[in-house]
Every structure is written in structure tokens, then in C-alpha cells.
Amino acid sequence: MRRSKRISSATRCRIAEAFDGLDYRRLARIYCYEGGDAFWKSKRGPSRRLGTRVGEALVKRLPAGGRSLYVGAGVAELPALLVESLELHRTVLACNLRRLEVGTLNRACRGLPVRFHARDARGTRGTFDHLWIVSVLNDPERFPYVAALSYGRAVPLTFNCGAFVKERNILRSLVNRCMSRLRLPGFVTTSVEEVNWIADWCHRKGIAYHVERQQFQTAVVGDPICFIRIGGKQFKSWKVRKL
């Protein structure tokens, strides 16, 4: 049963302070080839607001004192990370391969119980009861061919099937390594476009899962977020598209 608990005003203030402390000029260079200042001028407020809504959804679903792994965590994940840490006293491990962004985020989070790590999430140790993997498996910069198929932009005449297979193998390895560290029953937060990767893993392992119908909008990438319960008693009846 979902708890009706809401985020405290103190946590909301900490989230606002973290966003106010970000170096948006530096982030503009990280996130955009051009027009970065305008990008963050329009995305800064929505990122905090929509991210806080997701954090409020998590506080109703996750148990206190657990452990979460965040794959590819950036600005958009700040509210959820702070909510888990401050409201639920959970341990959060935020991984991001972009060292420049990690340094920027950690400077904004000084004095807060959240720290970002410039490491590959596949190398993390221990187990978790919550995995956050949002807009990672369809990242157009790192996996352009998978992203092209995911978003319906692939051109049959020019699509490189060999390059796609290589990307798919990398992504399956990432999903396998991260999901194998999830304690069951567990919880996954992901984008709607990435549900099939998680569902495929569950089907191959014969593990029950349930995809919640409710979705939450995001500001930076724009992919809607949903929640998946792993290891429950019910298999979701969604058909998994071949990846």
C-alpha cells in the first residue's frame, strides 16, 4: 500500500538550495553544443519542480533505510536523491561517467548527504533494493543506433545493423550487471522507452514484474518516467518488443 507521506518543507528547501548552487554556465557546456544558456534558463525551474514530483512519488513507494543505485545520475536526479537521503534516510550511490558534471554537482551538494561518483555503475559493489536507470539505455550520444530504433528515427537504407548489435550487447551487459545487484522484491525507476530492457531481463530470468500505469514527466530529456516492481506475484501482460 502506498504511503500518503509528503516531502517536508525542509527537504524542499534543500532541493532549491542545491539547484541554486549549480554552475549553469559549466552545465551549459556539458549538456549542449550551443544554446546552453537558453537551455538551462528554460529547464532549470521545470527540472527542480518535476524532479521533486518524482521524489514525492518515491517517498510513497520505497522503504526507509534501504539502498539505491542511480545509473547516469545528473541534474535531473538531484531531487530524487535528496528526497531518498533526507526523507527516508536511504543510502544512495549516484554514478556518472562525465567527470566535469560530477565535479559541478558535488560542489552544489556540499553539506548535503549526496555525493556523485565518476565511475561505471557496473563496477559497484553490494546489493540495492532500488535501481534508477533513466534515459541511459537510449542515450543518442553513447548509443546512436539503439536510440534511432527506440525513437523511430532509423533509416532502413543507411542503418548499420552491425553497429546496432554491438550497442545492444553493451546495453544487455549493463542491464544484467545492474539488475543482478537488485534485491528481490525490488524496485526500478526507468523511462517508458526503456521498460522493455528491464522486462526482457525479467522474462529471461523467469522473474515476475509489474509496470505501474502512472507516469511522470521529466524536463531535461523529456522521456516520461515509470516505476516497475520486480519479484512480485504478478507478471505484467505487456508484450516485450524484440530489442
Side-chain angles (χ1 to χ4, degrees):
M1 181 179 293
R2 296 178 184 175
R3 299 187 292 273
S4 60
K5 184 178 179 182
R6 297 181 64 85
I7 300 174
S8 68
S9 58
T11 296
R12 291 179 184 275
C13 287
R14 292 292 187 90
I15 293 172
E17 290 172 1
F19 271 81
D20 289 342
L22 287 169
D23 184 341
Y24 289 97
R25 287 188 176 182
R26 186 181 293 264
L27 289 172
R29 297 195 299 270
I30 297 171
Y31 276 76
C32 306
Y33 293 110
E34 58 183 19
D37 292 335
F39 174 85
W40 280 112
K41 185 176 181 180
S42 65
K43 297 294 186 180
R44 176 177 175 176
S47 295
R48 178 171 61 84
R49 185 172 63 255
L50 295 175
T52 302
R53 289 180 186 173
V54 174
E56 193 163 55
L58 288 174
V59 86
K60 297 174 183 178
R61 291 165 169 80
L62 296 177
R67 193 165 183 249
S68 292
L69 172 61
Y70 280 67
V71 183
V75 175
E77 283 71 28
L78 262 177
L81 287 163
L82 289 169
V83 165
E84 283 203 46
S85 300
L86 298 171
E87 294 287 330
L88 297 174
H89 307 291
R90 292 173 56 86
T91 300
V92 292
L93 178 58
C95 297
N96 185 330
L97 294 178
R98 296 190 288 198
R99 292 184 177 275
L100 188 58
E101 185 178 11
V102 167
T104 302
L105 291 164
N106 282 335
R107 281 190 289 273
C109 290
R110 285 174 181 167
L112 297 172
V114 169
R115 183 166 181 80
F116 291 79
H117 302 272
R119 69 170 70 164
D120 191 325
R122 289 176 293 184
T124 57
R125 297 181 179 180
T127 58
F128 306 84
D129 60 2
H130 173 221
L131 170 66
W132 175 291
I133 185 164
V134 173
S135 300
V136 172
L137 307 175
N138 53 5
D139 183 351
E141 291 187 0
R142 295 194 64 201
F143 308 108
Y145 293 97
V146 168
L149 279 182
S150 297
Y151 294 111
R153 296 194 295 261
V155 179
L157 289 174
T158 60
F159 188 74
N160 188 327
C161 296
F164 164 75
V165 170
K166 290 180 180 179
E167 291 181 5
R168 184 180 62 183
N169 290 340
I170 293 172
L171 289 169
R172 275 184 167 161
S173 173
L174 173 61
V175 172
N176 283 334
R177 293 288 294 274
C178 292
M179 289 296 291
S180 67
R181 297 189 180 282
L182 187 69
R183 295 195 300 270
L184 302 181
F187 200 75
V188 174
T189 302
T190 191
S191 70
V192 172
E193 286 78 8
E194 293 166 293
V195 165
N196 284 299
W197 292 96
I198 307 302
D200 174 67
W201 184 87
C202 290
H203 280 292
R204 286 189 286 107
K205 299 292 183 179
I207 297 173
Y209 68 98
H210 175 75
V211 182
E212 293 190 13
R213 292 183 179 275
Q214 187 175 12
Q215 298 177 9
F216 296 84
Q217 295 301 312
T218 59
V220 176
V221 178
D223 296 337
I225 286 175
C226 65
F227 302 119
I228 310 175
R229 298 180 183 275
I230 311 292
K233 297 180 180 180
Q234 177 184 1
F235 276 100
K236 188 64 181 176
S237 59
W238 282 19
K239 292 183 178 180
V240 182
R241 296 193 298 270
K242 291 184 178 180
L243 301 174

